[in-house]
mmCIF file of all heavy atoms in Angstrom:
data_model
loop_
_atom_site.group_PDB
_atom_site.id
_atom_site.type_symbol
_atom_site.label_atom_id
_atom_site.label_comp_id
_atom_site.label_asym_id
_atom_site.label_seq_id
_atom_site.Cartn_x
_atom_site.Cartn_y
_atom_site.Cartn_z
ATOM 1 N N LEU Q 172 18.619 -76.749 -31.453
ATOM 2 C CA LEU Q 172 17.187 -76.916 -31.210
ATOM 3 C C LEU Q 172 16.503 -75.569 -30.956
ATOM 4 O O LEU Q 172 15.330 -75.407 -31.223
ATOM 5 C CB LEU Q 172 16.950 -77.860 -30.026
ATOM 6 C CG LEU Q 172 17.233 -79.355 -30.296
ATOM 7 C CD1 LEU Q 172 17.165 -80.173 -29.011
ATOM 8 C CD2 LEU Q 172 16.242 -79.934 -31.320
ATOM 9 N N HIS Q 173 17.278 -74.608 -30.436
ATOM 10 C CA HIS Q 173 16.718 -73.287 -30.178
ATOM 11 C C HIS Q 173 17.238 -72.226 -31.156
ATOM 12 O O HIS Q 173 17.003 -71.043 -30.952
ATOM 13 C CB HIS Q 173 16.986 -72.883 -28.731
ATOM 14 C CG HIS Q 173 16.329 -73.792 -27.742
ATOM 15 N ND1 HIS Q 173 14.991 -73.712 -27.457
ATOM 16 C CD2 HIS Q 173 16.794 -74.833 -27.035
ATOM 17 C CE1 HIS Q 173 14.671 -74.662 -26.595
ATOM 18 N NE2 HIS Q 173 15.765 -75.376 -26.337
ATOM 19 N N TRP Q 174 17.958 -72.672 -32.173
ATOM 20 C CA TRP Q 174 18.493 -71.765 -33.196
ATOM 21 C C TRP Q 174 19.136 -70.523 -32.570
ATOM 22 O O TRP Q 174 18.778 -69.385 -32.895
ATOM 23 C CB TRP Q 174 17.410 -71.415 -34.235
ATOM 24 C CG TRP Q 174 17.087 -72.633 -34.991
ATOM 25 C CD1 TRP Q 174 16.019 -73.473 -34.783
ATOM 26 C CD2 TRP Q 174 17.886 -73.260 -36.017
ATOM 27 N NE1 TRP Q 174 16.114 -74.574 -35.615
ATOM 28 C CE2 TRP Q 174 17.232 -74.457 -36.386
ATOM 29 C CE3 TRP Q 174 19.076 -72.910 -36.652
ATOM 30 C CZ2 TRP Q 174 17.735 -75.316 -37.366
ATOM 31 C CZ3 TRP Q 174 19.563 -73.759 -37.621
ATOM 32 C CH2 TRP Q 174 18.903 -74.952 -37.965
ATOM 33 N N THR Q 176 21.559 -68.592 -33.034
ATOM 34 C CA THR Q 176 22.514 -68.323 -34.111
ATOM 35 C C THR Q 176 23.713 -67.493 -33.625
ATOM 36 O O THR Q 176 24.789 -67.571 -34.206
ATOM 37 C CB THR Q 176 21.826 -67.591 -35.270
ATOM 38 O OG1 THR Q 176 21.119 -66.478 -34.747
ATOM 39 C CG2 THR Q 176 20.840 -68.508 -35.970
ATOM 40 N N SER Q 231 18.693 -77.961 -18.688
ATOM 41 C CA SER Q 231 18.284 -78.539 -19.973
ATOM 42 C C SER Q 231 19.410 -79.327 -20.610
ATOM 43 O O SER Q 231 19.169 -80.229 -21.397
ATOM 44 C CB SER Q 231 17.788 -77.443 -20.908
ATOM 45 O OG SER Q 231 18.689 -76.371 -20.916
ATOM 46 N N VAL Q 234 18.832 -82.931 -20.402
ATOM 47 C CA VAL Q 234 17.911 -83.447 -21.407
ATOM 48 C C VAL Q 234 18.649 -83.718 -22.719
ATOM 49 O O VAL Q 234 18.499 -84.782 -23.327
ATOM 50 C CB VAL Q 234 16.755 -82.442 -21.677
ATOM 51 C CG1 VAL Q 234 15.825 -82.955 -22.772
ATOM 52 C CG2 VAL Q 234 15.979 -82.170 -20.400
ATOM 53 N N TYR Q 235 19.478 -82.757 -23.148
ATOM 54 C CA TYR Q 235 20.182 -82.930 -24.419
ATOM 55 C C TYR Q 235 21.163 -84.103 -24.368
ATOM 56 O O TYR Q 235 21.332 -84.825 -25.341
ATOM 57 C CB TYR Q 235 20.910 -81.631 -24.822
ATOM 58 C CG TYR Q 235 19.973 -80.437 -24.845
ATOM 59 C CD1 TYR Q 235 20.335 -79.212 -24.312
ATOM 60 C CD2 TYR Q 235 18.685 -80.559 -25.359
ATOM 61 C CE1 TYR Q 235 19.455 -78.137 -24.303
ATOM 62 C CE2 TYR Q 235 17.799 -79.502 -25.363
ATOM 63 C CZ TYR Q 235 18.180 -78.285 -24.822
ATOM 64 O OH TYR Q 235 17.312 -77.244 -24.804
ATOM 65 N N ARG Q 237 20.758 -86.762 -22.553
ATOM 66 C CA ARG Q 237 19.953 -87.974 -22.613
ATOM 67 C C ARG Q 237 19.525 -88.263 -24.066
ATOM 68 O O ARG Q 237 19.596 -89.403 -24.533
ATOM 69 C CB ARG Q 237 18.712 -87.816 -21.723
ATOM 70 C CG ARG Q 237 17.991 -89.118 -21.439
ATOM 71 C CD ARG Q 237 16.790 -88.901 -20.505
ATOM 72 N NE ARG Q 237 15.823 -88.013 -21.126
ATOM 73 C CZ ARG Q 237 15.150 -87.060 -20.466
ATOM 74 N NH1 ARG Q 237 15.374 -86.858 -19.179
ATOM 75 N NH2 ARG Q 237 14.268 -86.305 -21.088
ATOM 76 N N LEU Q 238 19.119 -87.238 -24.768
ATOM 77 C CA LEU Q 238 18.726 -87.405 -26.184
ATOM 78 C C LEU Q 238 19.897 -87.976 -26.987
ATOM 79 O O LEU Q 238 19.724 -88.895 -27.787
ATOM 80 C CB LEU Q 238 18.304 -86.074 -26.806
ATOM 81 C CG LEU Q 238 17.101 -85.341 -26.222
ATOM 82 C CD1 LEU Q 238 16.753 -84.134 -27.093
ATOM 83 C CD2 LEU Q 238 15.886 -86.236 -26.111
ATOM 84 N N ASP Q 241 20.621 -91.560 -26.198
ATOM 85 C CA ASP Q 241 19.597 -92.374 -26.834
ATOM 86 C C ASP Q 241 19.935 -92.595 -28.318
ATOM 87 O O ASP Q 241 19.917 -93.715 -28.837
ATOM 88 C CB ASP Q 241 18.248 -91.636 -26.669
ATOM 89 C CG ASP Q 241 17.067 -92.488 -27.078
ATOM 90 O OD1 ASP Q 241 17.272 -93.622 -27.500
ATOM 91 O OD2 ASP Q 241 15.924 -91.999 -26.972
ATOM 92 N N LEU Q 242 20.342 -91.521 -28.966
ATOM 93 C CA LEU Q 242 20.785 -91.602 -30.369
ATOM 94 C C LEU Q 242 21.972 -92.545 -30.505
ATOM 95 O O LEU Q 242 22.012 -93.399 -31.402
ATOM 96 C CB LEU Q 242 21.197 -90.204 -30.848
ATOM 97 C CG LEU Q 242 21.831 -90.116 -32.241
ATOM 98 C CD1 LEU Q 242 20.773 -90.332 -33.307
ATOM 99 C CD2 LEU Q 242 22.520 -88.778 -32.442
ATOM 100 N N SER Q 245 21.334 -96.284 -30.809
ATOM 101 C CA SER Q 245 20.917 -96.856 -32.088
ATOM 102 C C SER Q 245 21.927 -96.566 -33.201
ATOM 103 O O SER Q 245 21.924 -97.227 -34.219
ATOM 104 C CB SER Q 245 19.528 -96.362 -32.476
ATOM 105 O OG SER Q 245 19.520 -94.963 -32.527
ATOM 106 N N GLN Q 246 22.774 -95.557 -33.004
ATOM 107 C CA GLN Q 246 23.781 -95.226 -34.023
ATOM 108 C C GLN Q 246 25.122 -94.989 -33.325
ATOM 109 O O GLN Q 246 25.524 -93.826 -33.147
ATOM 110 C CB GLN Q 246 23.374 -93.959 -34.797
ATOM 111 C CG GLN Q 246 22.015 -94.063 -35.505
ATOM 112 C CD GLN Q 246 21.624 -92.736 -36.201
ATOM 113 O OE1 GLN Q 246 22.415 -91.840 -36.376
ATOM 114 N NE2 GLN Q 246 20.365 -92.643 -36.590
ATOM 115 N N PHE Q 253 28.548 -86.081 -34.946
ATOM 116 C CA PHE Q 253 27.735 -84.865 -34.888
ATOM 117 C C PHE Q 253 28.614 -83.676 -34.536
ATOM 118 O O PHE Q 253 28.570 -82.622 -35.198
ATOM 119 C CB PHE Q 253 26.631 -85.063 -33.849
ATOM 120 C CG PHE Q 253 25.845 -83.841 -33.470
ATOM 121 C CD1 PHE Q 253 25.251 -83.040 -34.442
ATOM 122 C CD2 PHE Q 253 25.693 -83.490 -32.135
ATOM 123 C CE1 PHE Q 253 24.507 -81.925 -34.091
ATOM 124 C CE2 PHE Q 253 24.947 -82.378 -31.774
ATOM 125 C CZ PHE Q 253 24.367 -81.593 -32.752
ATOM 126 N N ASP Q 256 31.687 -83.177 -37.241
ATOM 127 C CA ASP Q 256 31.226 -82.644 -38.525
ATOM 128 C C ASP Q 256 30.755 -81.197 -38.375
ATOM 129 O O ASP Q 256 30.815 -80.416 -39.331
ATOM 130 C CB ASP Q 256 30.127 -83.533 -39.121
ATOM 131 C CG ASP Q 256 30.700 -84.852 -39.624
ATOM 132 O OD1 ASP Q 256 31.942 -84.969 -39.670
ATOM 133 O OD2 ASP Q 256 29.926 -85.759 -39.951
ATOM 134 N N TYR Q 257 30.281 -80.852 -37.177
ATOM 135 C CA TYR Q 257 29.969 -79.442 -36.922
ATOM 136 C C TYR Q 257 31.247 -78.608 -37.028
ATOM 137 O O TYR Q 257 31.260 -77.531 -37.632
ATOM 138 C CB TYR Q 257 29.301 -79.262 -35.560
ATOM 139 C CG TYR Q 257 29.509 -77.880 -34.993
ATOM 140 C CD1 TYR Q 257 28.802 -76.779 -35.484
ATOM 141 C CD2 TYR Q 257 30.460 -77.662 -33.976
ATOM 142 C CE1 TYR Q 257 29.040 -75.510 -34.985
ATOM 143 C CE2 TYR Q 257 30.686 -76.402 -33.486
ATOM 144 C CZ TYR Q 257 29.982 -75.322 -33.978
ATOM 145 O OH TYR Q 257 30.203 -74.074 -33.499
ATOM 146 N N ASN Q 260 32.008 -77.934 -40.475
ATOM 147 C CA ASN Q 260 31.012 -77.132 -41.197
ATOM 148 C C ASN Q 260 30.657 -75.810 -40.524
ATOM 149 O O ASN Q 260 29.755 -75.108 -40.972
ATOM 150 C CB ASN Q 260 29.718 -77.946 -41.359
ATOM 151 C CG ASN Q 260 29.867 -79.027 -42.424
ATOM 152 O OD1 ASN Q 260 29.990 -78.722 -43.598
ATOM 153 N ND2 ASN Q 260 29.891 -80.278 -41.994
ATOM 154 N N ILE Q 263 29.524 -72.265 -41.865
ATOM 155 C CA ILE Q 263 28.155 -71.944 -42.285
ATOM 156 C C ILE Q 263 27.582 -70.812 -41.431
ATOM 157 O O ILE Q 263 26.841 -69.973 -41.916
ATOM 158 C CB ILE Q 263 27.240 -73.191 -42.113
ATOM 159 C CG1 ILE Q 263 27.638 -74.314 -43.070
ATOM 160 C CG2 ILE Q 263 25.771 -72.823 -42.293
ATOM 161 C CD1 ILE Q 263 26.913 -75.625 -42.791
ATOM 162 N N LEU B 172 21.958 -83.600 -37.255
ATOM 163 C CA LEU B 172 22.827 -84.536 -36.541
ATOM 164 C C LEU B 172 23.899 -85.110 -37.461
ATOM 165 O O LEU B 172 24.978 -85.474 -37.013
ATOM 166 C CB LEU B 172 22.008 -85.654 -35.889
ATOM 167 C CG LEU B 172 21.170 -85.247 -34.667
ATOM 168 C CD1 LEU B 172 20.231 -86.370 -34.244
ATOM 169 C CD2 LEU B 172 22.060 -84.841 -33.495
ATOM 170 N N HIS B 173 23.580 -85.184 -38.747
ATOM 171 C CA HIS B 173 24.555 -85.732 -39.697
ATOM 172 C C HIS B 173 25.132 -84.654 -40.626
ATOM 173 O O HIS B 173 25.823 -84.965 -41.580
ATOM 174 C CB HIS B 173 23.906 -86.847 -40.522
ATOM 175 C CG HIS B 173 23.516 -88.013 -39.668
ATOM 176 N ND1 HIS B 173 24.417 -88.932 -39.221
ATOM 177 C CD2 HIS B 173 22.325 -88.369 -39.144
ATOM 178 C CE1 HIS B 173 23.790 -89.836 -38.466
ATOM 179 N NE2 HIS B 173 22.521 -89.500 -38.398
ATOM 180 N N TRP B 174 24.826 -83.391 -40.318
ATOM 181 C CA TRP B 174 25.338 -82.259 -41.091
ATOM 182 C C TRP B 174 25.204 -82.495 -42.598
ATOM 183 O O TRP B 174 26.179 -82.405 -43.349
ATOM 184 C CB TRP B 174 26.788 -81.916 -40.672
ATOM 185 C CG TRP B 174 26.744 -81.388 -39.296
ATOM 186 C CD1 TRP B 174 27.034 -82.086 -38.147
ATOM 187 C CD2 TRP B 174 26.301 -80.097 -38.873
ATOM 188 N NE1 TRP B 174 26.781 -81.302 -37.036
ATOM 189 C CE2 TRP B 174 26.341 -80.077 -37.449
ATOM 190 C CE3 TRP B 174 25.868 -78.953 -39.540
ATOM 191 C CZ2 TRP B 174 25.968 -78.970 -36.709
ATOM 192 C CZ3 TRP B 174 25.512 -77.832 -38.800
ATOM 193 C CH2 TRP B 174 25.550 -77.861 -37.396
ATOM 194 N N THR B 176 24.598 -80.920 -45.238
ATOM 195 C CA THR B 176 24.493 -79.524 -45.642
ATOM 196 C C THR B 176 23.796 -79.359 -47.002
ATOM 197 O O THR B 176 23.247 -78.312 -47.278
ATOM 198 C CB THR B 176 25.878 -78.862 -45.681
ATOM 199 O OG1 THR B 176 26.733 -79.709 -46.453
ATOM 200 C CG2 THR B 176 26.467 -78.745 -44.286
ATOM 201 N N SER B 231 15.647 -94.552 -39.291
ATOM 202 C CA SER B 231 16.224 -93.645 -38.313
ATOM 203 C C SER B 231 15.263 -92.501 -37.975
ATOM 204 O O SER B 231 15.350 -91.927 -36.906
ATOM 205 C CB SER B 231 17.561 -93.114 -38.806
ATOM 206 O OG SER B 231 17.432 -92.667 -40.137
ATOM 207 N N VAL B 234 13.795 -92.912 -34.650
ATOM 208 C CA VAL B 234 14.681 -92.499 -33.553
ATOM 209 C C VAL B 234 14.575 -90.992 -33.341
ATOM 210 O O VAL B 234 14.412 -90.512 -32.209
ATOM 211 C CB VAL B 234 16.154 -92.871 -33.849
ATOM 212 C CG1 VAL B 234 17.076 -92.372 -32.744
ATOM 213 C CG2 VAL B 234 16.301 -94.369 -34.039
ATOM 214 N N TYR B 235 14.608 -90.214 -34.420
ATOM 215 C CA TYR B 235 14.588 -88.762 -34.286
ATOM 216 C C TYR B 235 13.242 -88.282 -33.713
ATOM 217 O O TYR B 235 13.190 -87.343 -32.936
ATOM 218 C CB TYR B 235 14.866 -88.080 -35.623
ATOM 219 C CG TYR B 235 16.185 -88.553 -36.236
ATOM 220 C CD1 TYR B 235 16.297 -88.837 -37.574
ATOM 221 C CD2 TYR B 235 17.307 -88.747 -35.430
ATOM 222 C CE1 TYR B 235 17.488 -89.295 -38.127
ATOM 223 C CE2 TYR B 235 18.491 -89.212 -35.964
ATOM 224 C CZ TYR B 235 18.576 -89.489 -37.309
ATOM 225 O OH TYR B 235 19.759 -89.952 -37.833
ATOM 226 N N ARG B 237 11.394 -90.006 -31.664
ATOM 227 C CA ARG B 237 11.415 -90.352 -30.247
ATOM 228 C C ARG B 237 12.229 -89.295 -29.468
ATOM 229 O O ARG B 237 11.815 -88.821 -28.411
ATOM 230 C CB ARG B 237 12.011 -91.738 -30.048
ATOM 231 C CG ARG B 237 11.782 -92.314 -28.668
ATOM 232 C CD ARG B 237 12.366 -93.715 -28.537
ATOM 233 N NE ARG B 237 13.810 -93.710 -28.724
ATOM 234 C CZ ARG B 237 14.484 -94.626 -29.423
ATOM 235 N NH1 ARG B 237 13.859 -95.620 -29.991
ATOM 236 N NH2 ARG B 237 15.805 -94.546 -29.531
ATOM 237 N N LEU B 238 13.366 -88.897 -30.012
ATOM 238 C CA LEU B 238 14.197 -87.878 -29.353
ATOM 239 C C LEU B 238 13.400 -86.582 -29.181
ATOM 240 O O LEU B 238 13.404 -85.971 -28.117
ATOM 241 C CB LEU B 238 15.453 -87.579 -30.162
ATOM 242 C CG LEU B 238 16.465 -88.710 -30.423
ATOM 243 C CD1 LEU B 238 17.707 -88.139 -31.102
ATOM 244 C CD2 LEU B 238 16.868 -89.382 -29.124
ATOM 245 N N ASP B 241 10.725 -86.836 -26.582
ATOM 246 C CA ASP B 241 11.353 -86.795 -25.266
ATOM 247 C C ASP B 241 11.642 -85.324 -24.899
ATOM 248 O O ASP B 241 11.346 -84.873 -23.789
ATOM 249 C CB ASP B 241 12.633 -87.626 -25.338
ATOM 250 C CG ASP B 241 13.287 -87.842 -23.987
ATOM 251 O OD1 ASP B 241 12.751 -87.337 -22.991
ATOM 252 O OD2 ASP B 241 14.340 -88.507 -23.931
ATOM 253 N N SER B 245 9.858 -82.402 -21.714
ATOM 254 C CA SER B 245 10.449 -81.489 -20.736
ATOM 255 C C SER B 245 10.330 -80.031 -21.168
ATOM 256 O O SER B 245 10.444 -79.148 -20.354
ATOM 257 C CB SER B 245 11.909 -81.874 -20.454
ATOM 258 O OG SER B 245 12.636 -81.857 -21.649
ATOM 259 N N GLN B 246 10.141 -79.791 -22.464
ATOM 260 C CA GLN B 246 10.012 -78.407 -22.953
ATOM 261 C C GLN B 246 8.832 -78.324 -23.923
ATOM 262 O O GLN B 246 9.037 -78.313 -25.139
ATOM 263 C CB GLN B 246 11.305 -77.980 -23.694
ATOM 264 C CG GLN B 246 12.569 -78.045 -22.843
ATOM 265 C CD GLN B 246 13.831 -77.654 -23.642
ATOM 266 O OE1 GLN B 246 13.783 -77.109 -24.719
ATOM 267 N NE2 GLN B 246 14.977 -77.972 -23.075
ATOM 268 N N PHE B 253 11.472 -75.387 -32.752
ATOM 269 C CA PHE B 253 12.665 -75.874 -33.464
ATOM 270 C C PHE B 253 12.457 -75.757 -34.986
ATOM 271 O O PHE B 253 13.298 -75.223 -35.700
ATOM 272 C CB PHE B 253 12.905 -77.325 -33.045
ATOM 273 C CG PHE B 253 13.938 -78.061 -33.860
ATOM 274 C CD1 PHE B 253 15.214 -77.560 -34.042
ATOM 275 C CD2 PHE B 253 13.641 -79.318 -34.405
ATOM 276 C CE1 PHE B 253 16.170 -78.256 -34.775
ATOM 277 C CE2 PHE B 253 14.583 -80.016 -35.132
ATOM 278 C CZ PHE B 253 15.842 -79.488 -35.315
ATOM 279 N N ASP B 256 11.622 -71.881 -36.117
ATOM 280 C CA ASP B 256 12.807 -71.023 -36.066
ATOM 281 C C ASP B 256 13.820 -71.407 -37.143
ATOM 282 O O ASP B 256 14.581 -70.574 -37.600
ATOM 283 C CB ASP B 256 13.438 -71.049 -34.664
ATOM 284 C CG ASP B 256 12.571 -70.284 -33.671
ATOM 285 O OD1 ASP B 256 11.616 -69.629 -34.105
ATOM 286 O OD2 ASP B 256 12.846 -70.370 -32.460
ATOM 287 N N TYR B 257 13.798 -72.687 -37.512
ATOM 288 C CA TYR B 257 14.628 -73.089 -38.646
ATOM 289 C C TYR B 257 14.153 -72.387 -39.916
ATOM 290 O O TYR B 257 14.954 -71.867 -40.698
ATOM 291 C CB TYR B 257 14.601 -74.611 -38.831
ATOM 292 C CG TYR B 257 14.896 -75.021 -40.262
ATOM 293 C CD1 TYR B 257 16.176 -74.987 -40.782
ATOM 294 C CD2 TYR B 257 13.850 -75.433 -41.101
ATOM 295 C CE1 TYR B 257 16.430 -75.330 -42.094
ATOM 296 C CE2 TYR B 257 14.096 -75.764 -42.422
ATOM 297 C CZ TYR B 257 15.389 -75.710 -42.922
ATOM 298 O OH TYR B 257 15.613 -76.046 -44.222
ATOM 299 N N ASN B 260 15.467 -69.039 -40.018
ATOM 300 C CA ASN B 260 16.923 -68.925 -40.105
ATOM 301 C C ASN B 260 17.538 -69.722 -41.248
ATOM 302 O O ASN B 260 18.748 -69.786 -41.367
ATOM 303 C CB ASN B 260 17.549 -69.412 -38.791
ATOM 304 C CG ASN B 260 17.347 -68.421 -37.668
ATOM 305 O OD1 ASN B 260 17.944 -67.337 -37.690
ATOM 306 N ND2 ASN B 260 16.514 -68.741 -36.706
ATOM 307 N N ILE B 263 20.746 -69.208 -43.494
ATOM 308 C CA ILE B 263 22.114 -69.538 -43.068
ATOM 309 C C ILE B 263 22.719 -70.587 -43.990
ATOM 310 O O ILE B 263 23.913 -70.567 -44.285
ATOM 311 C CB ILE B 263 22.100 -70.133 -41.633
ATOM 312 C CG1 ILE B 263 21.664 -69.081 -40.608
ATOM 313 C CG2 ILE B 263 23.448 -70.719 -41.245
ATOM 314 C CD1 ILE B 263 21.405 -69.662 -39.215
#
Side-chain angles (χ1 to χ4, degrees):
Chain Q
L172 287 172
H173 297 282
W174 293 98
T176 50
S231 48
V234 177
Y235 307 136
R237 194 179 62 220
L238 298 187
D241 190 358
L242 173 73
S245 57
Q246 302 177 13
F253 169 53
D256 288 350
Y257 154 75
N260 285 292
I263 293 171
Chain B
L172 287 171
H173 296 282
W174 293 99
T176 51
S231 48
V234 177
Y235 305 137
R237 194 178 62 221
L238 298 187
D241 189 359
S245 57
Q246 301 178 14
F253 170 53
D256 288 351
Y257 154 75
N260 287 291
I263 293 171

